[in-house]
Amino acid sequence: MRERILAAAIEVIKERGVVGATTKEIARRAGVSEGSLYNHFANKTALFGAALAEVAGGIRNAMMRLLGSIGENTVEDNLAVLAAAAVRFYGELLPMTGPALGDPKILAWLRSGGPAEAGSEAVSLGGPVAGHSALIGYLEAERELGRFAKDSAYFAAALLGACQQHAFLAKLADPAAITGHARLPAEPEDFARGLARTLLS
């Protein structure tokens, strides 16, 4: 039931944003009573925070795969896989976090790492700083192997920032505008490959 509630919460928040989403609508979509939401989440803030954390699952997994690929494949290949996942992640997260970043309670919950409720599995975004640090850790490890020779912190900021910008453009413009005026490939994989290659050069 917890997974069903989370799926419904993500659906509603994507459609209406954090401000417009209500626990009543989430419960209706999940096919449960509104009161039963609080059997799994301490309050509305915890539910919304968990929904955002659930969306972050893909990028967390991609980052874990990156850390497991140190010294394997090429650095470009590894970064291209991560960047494609990052573009998709930001594309999904941006519509949800716009209003969330203006809500002090949800923002504080996310910054704290999203403490788990009793009897539930810990869920959190891991924090954007944690993800940035993990990428730096990967790059530093590759540096020690002689496979990377740039400033890790600025490189990580450039890579993740470009992925967020691409996702932002994709939300505001149609694919033709991206490939035309912006001169960037619309597909995440194509963009990620070109981005990794360009930054490494």
Side-chain angles (χ1 to χ4, degrees):
M1 182 181 289
R2 187 175 189 278
E3 287 72 22
R4 194 161 75 246
I5 292 170
L6 269 179
I10 292 170
E11 186 178 287
V12 173
I13 293 171
K14 282 182 180 177
E15 290 177 5
R16 304 187 178 187
V18 172
V19 175
T22 64
T23 53
K24 182 176 182 179
E25 177 60 17
I26 291 170
R28 188 189 70 75
R29 297 276 183 100
V32 300
S33 67
E34 189 173 2
S36 67
L37 299 180
Y38 302 104
N39 293 330
H40 302 276
F41 302 94
N43 50 45
K44 180 180 178 180
T45 299
L47 170 58
F48 283 16
L52 294 174
E54 188 74 11
V55 170
I59 191 64
R60 281 199 308 268
N61 291 338
M63 193 65 76
M64 292 303 295
R65 287 196 301 273
L66 180 73
L67 294 174
S69 65
I70 295 169
E72 299 177 2
N73 308 311
T74 67
V75 173
E76 181 182 312
D77 287 341
N78 294 337
L79 292 175
V81 171
L82 175 71
V87 170
R88 287 196 173 86
F89 165 63
Y90 289 127
E92 197 170 6
L93 193 68
L94 283 172
M96 300 172 72
T97 54
L101 295 178
D103 187 315
K105 290 182 180 179
I106 293 179
L107 192 57
W109 195 90
L110 292 172
R111 283 177 172 170
S112 72
E117 299 88 46
S120 70
E121 192 176 317
V123 289
S124 75
L125 281 174
V129 175
H132 189 93
S133 297
L135 177 53
I136 292 172
Y138 164 77
L139 295 171
E140 290 294 331
E142 293 288 18
R143 180 196 297 278
E144 291 181 12
L145 295 175
R147 287 164 36 104
F148 181 78
K150 301 188 182 302
D151 185 295
S152 300
Y154 283 103
F155 188 96
L159 182 81
L160 295 176
C163 291
Q164 186 171 6
Q165 171 67 3
H166 194 273
F168 183 70
L169 286 175
K171 290 295 178 187
L172 292 180
D174 58 45
I178 295 174
T179 57
H181 300 301
R183 298 183 183 177
L184 294 171
E187 290 302 315
E189 285 81 8
D190 296 333
F191 171 77
R193 172 63 64 183
L195 174 64
R197 182 180 301 119
T198 299
L199 292 180
L200 286 170
S201 67

